[in-house]
Amino acid sequence: MFSPRPTPSSGRRQSSRVTGRKSLAGTPTGLLFSPRRTSLAARSTPTRVQSYSTSEALHFDVQTFGSSLPVKVMEALTMADADDQISVKVDESGWAWMVCGERLIIWKICQTAVAKLSVCKGLQLPASEFAYYADLISISSPSPLETSISVMAVAPEGTARFWPSLAHEGNYTETVVDMGENLCNFVVAVRGGSFIVSSYKGQMMRLGADPSGKLLQRALQQGQGVLSGIGRRVSSLFGMLAPLTNNNLHSVLWVGETGCLYTLTSCGLSKWEMDEVTEHQVLSWDSSRALTESVADAIWGSESNYEEIKEGVNVTYMDMDGLVVLAAAWHPSDSPCLAYFCLVTLLDNGNNISEELSVEVTKYNPPFQSEDALQAMRLMLPRASSPAAFLYNEELVFACSTGTGRGGLPEEKIPFNTPGDRLCGGGCCANLPVFFSQNSGLVAVVARERASMLPETMEDSLCFSLAGAGPEATAMETPTRVEPVAQEDKTKLLKAAFLQFCRNDLVGAQTMTDELFPPDGDGDGELDLVVTRINLDLVDDYPASDPRWAESVPDESAGFPLTSLIILHQLEDKMKAHGCFMDFLLQVGLLDRLGQTAVRSSPMATRLLLCEHAEKLQAAMTLKNHHAKHGELVNRAILSALRKSNAAVSTSLTAADVFFREVSQISSVFECLLEEEERTLKENPVDSVKWAEVVLSVNTIIKDMLQAAGQYRDTKASLYRASESTPAESEYIPWTASSGLGGVRTVIARQHEVILRDVYPHADSELRNGLNEQLAALLDVLLGGYVSQLTSLRPGRPGQQDRYNTLEMEYTQRRSELLAPLLELGQYQWVAALAEKYCDFDILVQMCEQTDNQNRLQHYMAKFADQNFADFLFRWYMQKGKRGKLLSQPIAQHQQLASFLQSHEHLSWLHHIHVHDFSSAYKTLYGQANMETRYFVKKKTLLALSKLTALASDMPEAVMKKQVDAVYL
């Protein structure tokens, strides 16, 4: 996020054409940050201490972050010249880099106090007349767990150097980014391993390497929206403007989760939606007037002469993070003239920015010196979901809040102005604000009264469980710290580490985790059991903070109470806790060490089991939403499920309270819903409203629950993906593909039968349309489960080939059994959708034959060409005895048909004649005749036909005569 942005004249070497800040066209003076130069004597080597005390900070501790700095970093600091500007950036992926002169050092931060083997590389930057800073370097990595990264560095003048792999620092390629006379100011990694390079004047270029390693570049299209051509006066009414030539670029923000790129200029905000290859500008918002008026109103709005005051207000932007803009405002007539730093939160509605802006005026309002001095301040938001914010420059950090949520930090200035010290940069890592202090290296600013990331009372309950307190203890008795627990109880110890992590004590959490599960320890499965147990405790937690549960919480409860008395909120809090736990496992390095766990009598990767827990939480929330819409049906199913599990319901609780508490068993409701459906169908006449409604309702509930689970699995796949070093894993059977009694696959197959056998024959056209759509969605889930299983198996892997073949045969058979009834009913729309998605060629061919749709057949031959659809079709015609259709293929398929018929010579000669290839027909017939030794008549017929094709061919006359004479009838 932060790195000093020097002026052109503050570089290491002066250019003869640079005589001052304004001497180079396109470089705005108000956008540059010039760190004060420090003499070599004052530039001390960082000393690693556990706590950086400052008498002026009342609410915060400044703690060392990670282990000692790599030797290369220490040497670079020691050997740096007085003119070398040091600039550092910390990336949320756990990597950091330092620019010192024309030397770049990149290292992986070890987040423990005890140093472990860490990656650290030194790279040579292209020569430049101007000083480098860390914003001109960016890295790209395939996933959070990857250790292999690529690096892009761009000189201010535009020379770009790209290292495809940090492991090979000598292997790089170069190009020159065409920015004209403008200097570059930002390099940002985006999707597809590509990078965005920007200039101070707002030019945007996208760089990426082709397969050969050559760097390619192209400009991002700007101002191409639907309103870009109708003029500034009219387009401003809509909040959209084409780029201005005098625009100064302040910040470039990449949001990887949504694939959106934002730029903040002195005149507005722009947004692009980007994929791996292309991008599309969807927003160009003229923010100048709206932001200026909102900031002025927030500061001076209560003044009686506000209308007069606001005409003289000046507002400038410095930075942007998470769609929060850091702005400063001052009024030259004020005495004293102060600079008011504000945080403006923007709301992105897709193609426009909401007119409702949230402005938080911080308590940091130093005397106004100059606009250039204001531009030194930067903004950091450690967590997008938290209102905590940090402003910082080389001399101080100011903790504050965006004002958009609960739990904001107390506002306070933390100085870094001791002799020889300054901040050289920083960034977010492990959800903490991390800075590079010249005296102390990497440090994190942590609130002394740490607000836990867990839902409100969960931290207290966790303390109770670790200290041995029962859940009946009150909040007033909550221990202020975790008491020592038995060393043999690793589950409790890991919970304690988790609690420390949630309190933002990453160093303590990492240290405890390393003691419990040493990085070099043997993987005996104990880690998997402990992690699974804790996560299961989270999702199946007893809501002990709900007084209605006071008598129902067992004494041995693990203690993760939730705050809300409303079931849906309790489920949402469990999902938040699960997210915190996954973040904990990732940050302390346990996630990529997880192995396998036994699930439903089969081994499963523990990561995927954790994902299953979250999927069931998502399904439970969906069911709870349907509880309000279909109360009677869902209540009956819940009561049935509780009876089967022998779960007791106390007088102070409802059946829903008890059922939704044990999220891991949420799938038990499916079979109970089907039983209620079948009972209702029997008890009500077919022409009643209730008879039709129950089927539609059951379908909707099951479909929505399974789709919600599947959507979570798809959107969060990167969080649970195995690292490249993970050994081969066993077959993955999602819970949504479980078979056997009560299994989801069994439930869907049973519902498929009930609909087609009992409901469809009595349904009118409107009901049939609804049933068909719902049934198609359910079958999509069922077939998708098979695909997930097959994908997890690799035929070439030892011991999996036989299982793959067996499962593939089962999948093919079930697919045909489920789709064939829909085909018989003429539901071609849904049959086509499913058969195309799951490549059921037999069903597709049958459908085209029934509808006599040859155009669709040709479409499938092109669409599935790489899967040999044409060969399948030709074999299908052979098996069905439809040789006429086989031989009457359109010209586009003649080549494929000829290849297919090479193994069917008794038919290939007919195709040759059809395409007028009489020479080939002659050869085939003559060869067939010579091989015929059993039937004389047949042989004679073949010879006669061969003679006729020879006569009809375009062979030279001499050759034809020779061939004809060779045929003896």
Side-chain angles (χ1 to χ4, degrees), residues 339 495 551 605 685 699 908 942:
K495 284 183 181 179
E551 299 177 359
N699 284 341
S908 62
L942 291 171

Side-chain angles (χ1 to χ4, degrees), residues 597-654:
T597 306
V599 181
R600 294 180 290 275
S601 303
S602 299
M604 178 189 289
T606 305
R607 295 171 297 94
L608 299 178
L609 177 58
L610 299 180
C611 181
E612 177 176 310
H613 290 163
E615 291 172 24
K616 288 184 174 179
L617 273 169
Q618 202 70 45
M621 285 187 275
T622 303
L623 177 61
K624 189 65 191 74
N625 286 327
H626 279 296
H627 193 194
K629 303 174 187 176
H630 311 287
E632 182 181 357
L633 173 63
V634 175
N635 278 331
R636 286 178 175 273
I638 285 175
L639 287 170
S640 177
L642 293 178
R643 283 195 299 269
K644 291 182 178 181
S645 62
N646 296 318
V649 181
S650 67
T651 55
S652 60
L653 297 172
T654 66

Side-chain angles (χ1 to χ4, degrees), residues 894-914:
H894 281 179
Q895 186 175 354
Q896 286 180 288
L897 180 59
S899 299
F900 173 77
L901 291 175
Q902 284 179 357
S903 57
H904 302 277
E905 289 190 341
H906 64 291
L907 293 176
S908 62
W909 63 273
L910 290 170
H911 174 66
H912 294 322
I913 292 174
H914 180 65

Side-chain angles (χ1 to χ4, degrees), residues 60 382 386-390 399-401 406-412 433 445 447 449 451:
F60 295 90
S386 169
F390 295 86
C400 55
S401 171
R406 299 184 303 151
L409 297 176
E411 296 197 28
E412 185 172 15
V445 175
E449 294 182 2

